[in-house]
Amino acid sequence: MDYETLRFKIADGVAIITLDRKENPANALNARMAEELFDVGLRCGAPDVRAVIVNATGKMFCGGGDLAEMDAALDKPAHLTRMATLLHAGLIQLARIDAPVIMAVNGTAGGGGFSIVLSGDYVIASERAKFVSAYTSSGLTPDGSSTYYLAKHVGLLRAKELMLTNRVLTAAEAQSWGLVNRVVPPETVMDEACAMAQQIASGPTMAFGGVKRLLDTAFSDGLESQLDRETRSIADMMRTNDGPAGIAAFLAKETPRFEGT
């Protein structure tokens, strides 16, 4: 696929998705970007991908949906249905792969951009970054998984506050609320993200995937169901190469070399 709204590359086990709408300073999420995010989500499931970084060019990460495109659509409900369906399919792909997804937030993440950030496994933000739900300010309800993740991160009342009032959080506030792992100077965001990605890419990728899947049900399954998932998951790790290799390295007092298989 020839990308028009983003750039994509894979190197040394790390996939980098860069939102890049050159004609749109807000990197607004349009139908084409939703389609392209679905495509790269599929490609990130490749066996050689062991970590993923999502970042953006310009001063903003993503300001939200392209409202001008939505307004110009002849069949607005159909346009939004297709766009949200493709976006959601892409986010599901990133959630289901073993490789952890790192969000490198260079600037404002609003609306759909806010939702994309919430779907990440690890979030590094510039000191200049800001976060806002924004949907209801345009008379819309959230999409992009934010109603699934936000309350899990900050609690139900705070989630309602952010979505009903469109309160803007600074990077420091977002970190204190549990939406961001690290806040760094603007010029170091990608350096920090790449360093974290390389660390993750050298780890037991299938075990990381198991962690993602187990935590995904932490708020929905009962104790017995969750313990059953844990049993099956830890047993499955002994069917990988990295599980037995990690145990052997520990017993030999050696540093393990994980291959991600």
Side-chain angles (χ1 to χ4, degrees), residues 97-240:
I97 62 174
D98 290 330
V101 179
I102 300 166
M103 297 291 168
V105 187
N106 56 308
T108 297
F114 179 63
S115 296
I116 290 171
V117 170
L118 292 175
S119 72
D121 299 307
Y122 193 91
V123 181
I124 299 173
S126 160
E127 294 168 341
R128 297 175 183 168
K130 294 181 180 179
F131 302 85
V132 58
S133 176
Y135 287 94
T136 57
S137 63
S138 300
L140 302 173
T141 55
D143 64 353
S145 76
S146 57
T147 62
Y148 180 82
Y149 288 114
L150 184 58
K152 292 177 172 65
H153 291 326
V154 304
L156 186 58
L157 284 180
R158 280 185 162 180
K160 288 181 178 180
E161 177 183 354
L162 292 180
M163 290 180 168
L164 296 176
T165 70
N166 299 306
R167 172 176 172 174
V168 178
L169 296 180
T170 65
E173 288 173 326
Q175 184 179 33
S176 70
W177 281 39
L179 297 174
V180 170
N181 294 94
R182 295 184 61 195
V183 177
V184 301
E187 63 274 11
T188 68
V189 172
M190 270 306 288
D191 289 340
E192 297 284 351
C194 288
M196 177 58 69
Q198 287 298 332
Q199 176 183 328
I200 288 172
S202 66
T205 307
M206 297 182 74
F208 291 157
V211 168
K212 288 173 61 170
R213 286 183 284 276
L214 285 170
L215 291 178
D216 192 45
T217 56
F219 288 84
S220 57
D221 278 4
L223 176 60
E224 291 82 1
S225 295
Q226 191 69 9
L227 292 179
D228 179 63
R229 290 178 184 273
E230 289 184 357
T231 298
R232 287 185 281 115
S233 183
I234 196 168
D236 285 343
M237 292 307 107
M238 295 306 290
R239 297 184 177 97
T240 70

Side-chain angles (χ1 to χ4, degrees), residues 16-154:
I16 301 179
I17 302 167
T18 304
L19 307 182
D20 183 18
R21 285 193 67 190
K22 296 178 177 62
E23 80 289 357
N24 188 300
N27 282 322
L29 179 61
N30 63 358
R32 178 71 183 191
M33 183 180 285
E35 183 178 4
E36 292 179 2
L37 285 171
F38 172 57
D39 189 79
V40 296
L42 291 174
R43 293 179 64 185
C44 286
D48 59 331
V49 174
R50 300 177 66 185
V52 178
I53 297 174
V54 181
N55 72 330
T57 60
K59 295 182 179 180
M60 299 182 72
F61 179 79
C62 173
D66 190 331
L67 298 183
E69 181 184 85
M70 294 179 195
D71 184 60
L74 295 178
D75 189 335
K76 293 176 176 57
H79 176 81
L80 277 171
T81 298
R82 181 178 184 277
M83 182 174 162
T85 299
L86 287 168
L87 171 64
H88 294 167
L91 294 177
I92 288 170
Q93 290 299 319
L94 291 177
R96 295 293 178 259
I97 62 174
D98 290 330
V101 179
I102 300 166
M103 297 291 168
V105 187
N106 56 308
T108 297
F114 179 63
S115 296
I116 290 171
V117 170
L118 292 175
S119 72
D121 299 307
Y122 193 91
V123 181
I124 299 173
S126 160
E127 294 168 341
R128 297 175 183 168
K130 294 181 180 179
F131 302 85
V132 58
S133 176
Y135 287 94
T136 57
S137 63
S138 300
L140 302 173
T141 55
D143 64 353
S145 76
S146 57
T147 62
Y148 180 82
Y149 288 114
L150 184 58
K152 292 177 172 65
H153 291 326
V154 304

